[in-house]
Each structure stands twice: as structure tokens, then as C-alpha cells.
Amino acid sequence: MTHSVLPIAPEVDVIEKTFSALQARAPKQRALTAKERVQRLDALYAEIWKRRDDLKQAMWKDFRKPAEEVDLTEIFVIKSEIKAVKRGLRKWMRPKRVPGGLAQVGSASWVRPEAKGVALIISPWNYPMQLVFRPLVAAIAAGCTAVIKPSELTGATAQVVAEIVSNAFSEDEVAVVQGGVETSTHLLNLPFNHIYFTGSPAVGKIVMKAAAQHPCSVTLELGGKSPVIVDDMKSMKDAAKKIAWAKLSNAGQICVAPDYVFVPTHRKDDFVGAVKEAMLEMYPGEIDGNKDFQRIVAPHHAERISKLVDDAVARGAKMVLGGGAEADACLVPPTILTGVDPNAAVLEEEIFGPVLPILTYDAFGEVEQFVNARPTPLALYVFSKRKPFVSKVLSEIQSGGASINNCVIHVSSNHLPFGGLGNSGIGSGHGEYGFTEFTHLRGVYEQRFDGAGALLMPPYSAWKTKLIDRLLRWL
Ligand code: NAD
């Protein structure tokens, strides 16, 4: 099976040749049985498992990702995604019979789930293995061939990913094309049958525009600002700990990281104290030497986050925790901001770093107005012990997904659709939802014996006109 890994940023003719091979293979791939698709997924996981240590080393090199978190948030996620496919695939692939109406008398109709063809998967850097392989598992389950374009910012991991794929698949089934914007642009000019893009809303728009050239369907897994709304609760400790963990895991570089928090004004001090305590408990001592605290992926991103903090402070925000960021070392320490000016950039742009602005409210209406005046978030979090409060939040504020009394964990489920709305995305991944994105639902109709339709063809004699009139009245 092993084939050679493509050079980084390959020439356009290499990209086109790779695409043609995948296109030629697509009809055979579509015809694979559930068993054959599962065999490929097993081969993929076997290669991932073999390269577990290399993946850990690569992610440490890319952005000092702790080895334990590579196991938990990358490898385990793919293992569980493959398991979900193995459990459900036969059922998902089965053609579904559907009833007919009067016009279809004498017929049978069914819906055949079929692979769309050649898929393009473009991924970001923040989970450099998970966000490449989770869509790939869905594409293979659906019977597509695929090109993967991993992020150039996590190049060490992208190389291991390319080697894993070259050992698990033949070169006309799955290809990894490494490179930056130019490579991505070349790929986007090709007539793919589906594009599964994970990344920023700004690039998502470029992808959608490119897809219109051919045209093909898109899944856009984008980002944005995911708010947390904390109710007035007896103790703030549990909420504070979960929010602190979700904000600092991956150094805040999570598409569904809690971006900012709203707490009742009279509980602010309680909450801020509890979040600070939780952050210091999880990451004690000098943050620079803490092996559990991840780095920002690149100096320019660390600088971007530091500027957000500086701008907020210059506009009067108080830094309750933080300071001492070193852009060159890609280090932004855990940061808590209070008293933030609503016009500060930190409340406008997706933070994507370990910085938590805490805002206050006196009445829920203020929260509703603030969040709904901004683009629809990818996730919405509510911490409350009161069901009516939770219902109010869910019914009055839209979001891609939501968690009650926890943050981020909903993403790990293979049974929930995961995706955004508007600026936070189009379509959903995970489990059967991912399979469906790469699948065309083909409606098939078979005439077994002739029904009324055959009687109603021209010429329209008087009795036919009468019959049509009766049918219309009777139906
Ligand atoms: P990005 O949009 O900058 O890059 C994503 C991919 O697109 C990369 O592979 C990159 O090479 C490519 N790309 C960049 N510019 C391009 C262009 N002009 N034309 C064509 N391709 C281009 O995103 P990022 O910085 O890698 O990731 C962070 C963003 O991704 C955040 O907004 C985050 O919220 C989002 N994200 C979303 C999810 C999700 O599942 N919804 C998951 C992770 C990250």
C-alpha cells in the first residue's frame, strides 16, 4: 500500500495529476461495501497507533502540546469517531424505501445514499491531527476519495499525517497536499465534488466563492465568539473551574473555547476570584516552565492576542491575572480581564487565546441584546440550576451548538451534530452527520406497472379533461 509522500507545496501539474487519479478512482470507491470501507478505517487507525510517539513529538515541536492532550484530544477522538462509524455504517448506507402518492401508482421509490465523489478537506492548525482525520473518516465512510490540505503552521504534524496516509491508503484513494495559501488556492480551482473546510470565517468565505466556480457543496466549520452565561448560583466554584479549564486547554486555541463570560453584577467578585483560583490551581508556578500549558502556534498569533489585551487595558480594563506575554516565545499567560469597554477589540474579534474577559449583567435582556447583536456563535454555554433560565437562554439566543453546565465537551459526542450557523459555519460533522455531508441522497423511482399517469397524456379529449378535474377536486 505504501506510496511516497508528495513534496511540500507541489507544482500545479503534480496537484492536477493527483486530483485526476482520485477522480478516476471515485466510481470504484463509491461502490465499496461497508466492510471494505471499515477495513480502510481500521488500517488508518493502525497507522495512527504505530505513529503515536511521533505524533506527540511533532505536536510538541509545533506548539508544545502536552503528550496527555495528544492522547485525549487527538488520538482518542479519532478512535471514537471510527468506532461510531463501525457501529452505524451499514444502517447509514442502506437504501431507504419511501411511499408514493397517486401519481406514482404502480411504482417503488427509494433513497440511495451515494458518495459525492472527490472531496477536498482543508484543515486548521489548532487540532492538527483531529481536524484532518475526523472529516477524512466521514469521507471514507461515505465512499469518497479525498485530498487533505493540512495547515502549514503545524508543519511537523502535517508531515506525520502525510506519512500515515501514505501507509494506510493507495495514492488514488487519499492524498495529502501540504502547503500554504498558494497551494490551497490551486486546490480550490479544481472541480471537487465536496469541500469540507475548517478554519476562520474570513477564509470560509473565500472557500465558498471558489466552490461556486464548479459548483460544489461545502461544509464550513468556522469559528467566532462563543459566550458563557452564568446564572446567580449558590456556588460559583464548579462553573468557574469548568470555564477556566475550557479557556486554558490548548491555550485557548479552540473554536468552541468560551470566548467571554457574563455573570450577574452582584456575583462578579465571587466568580472572578473562583476563576483565578481555578486557573492557578491547574497551572501553578512559573507559567514559562509549566509543561502542561501549551504555547501559541506562531509569534504573530501571540502578538495578535497581546495586542487585544493591551487595547482592552488602554481602554480601562483591569487585568486581574496575566501579563508578561512573550510573542517571540509564543507565550501568552492565562489572562483575566474585567471592566472591559464593549468597543474593545477583545469583544469584537475571536480571541483564540488564553484570555478571558468577564462582563456583568443586571437583567438577562442585556445579555440577550449583546449576544444577538453579534454574529451567531458556534457554541453557547449556560451555567444554571434553574430550568426556566436555561430554556430562556436557549430559546432567545441562537448558536451552532450548546452546553448546559459544562463547556466544550459537547464537541466530543459522535451522536450530536457539530456545526455552526451563519458566520460560524454551514453544515455539521461527527458520526452520521459527517457521513451525510459527503453523501448525495439519490432519489430512485421504478415504474413496475403503469398507473393513472399513462392515461393522462395528450391529446386531452373531453373525458381526460373531466378526469383531471375530478382528480384535482378529490385529492
Ligand atoms: P485559517 O482560516 O487561517 O486557515 C485554515 C486553512 O485554510 C489552512 O489550511 C490554511 O492554509 C488555509 N488558508 C488560509 N488562507 C487561505 C486562503 N486565502 N485561501 C485558501 N486557503 C487558505 O484558520 P486557522 O488560523 O488555521 O484556524 C483558526 C480558525 O479556525 C479559528 O477561526 C477557529 O475558530 C476555526 N476553527 C473552527 C473549527 C470548527 O470545527 N468549527 C475547528 C477549529 C478551528
Side-chain angles (χ1 to χ4, degrees), residues 122-127 131 149-153 179-185 188 196-204 206-207 220-224 253-256 297 301 350 352 378 411 418-420 424-425 430:
I122 302 181
S123 305
W125 47 265
N126 63 325
Y127 285 89
L131 295 174
K149 211 299 279 169
S151 173
E152 67 279 21
L153 290 186
V181 176
E182 205 182 325
T183 305
S184 200
T185 307
L188 285 170
Y196 197 108
F197 172 80
T198 310
S200 60
V203 180
I206 295 173
V207 169
L220 301 179
E221 298 281 10
L222 310 178
Q253 301 164 108
I254 311 180
C255 56
V256 285
V297 72
H301 274 290
E350 179 180 9
F352 224 57
L378 184 58
V411 175
F418 176 71
S424 55
H430 300 183

Side-chain angles (χ1 to χ4, degrees), residues 13 20 63 86 109 162 219 296 330 350 364 366 385 389 455-456 461-462 466-467:
D13 61 324
S20 298
F63 53 172
K86 287 167 87 166
S109 300
T219 308
I296 303 302
C330 297
E350 179 180 9
F364 173 71
E366 297 163 36
K385 301 292 174 213
F389 184 82
L455 294 176
L456 296 177
S461 52
K466 210 167 175 182
L467 182 61

Side-chain angles (χ1 to χ4, degrees), residues 23-36:
Q23 209 175 27
R25 162 83 203 170
K28 285 207 178 69
Q29 196 76 0
R30 183 177 294 124
L32 293 182
T33 61
K35 193 175 163 195
E36 288 164 330

Side-chain angles (χ1 to χ4, degrees), residues 95-96 98 108-114 440-446:
K96 289 164 193 71
V98 292
S109 300
W110 61 97
V111 179
R112 267 173 70 96
E114 292 184 349
H440 168 62
L441 296 179
R442 188 189 213 181
V444 183
Y445 174 87
E446 182 186 5

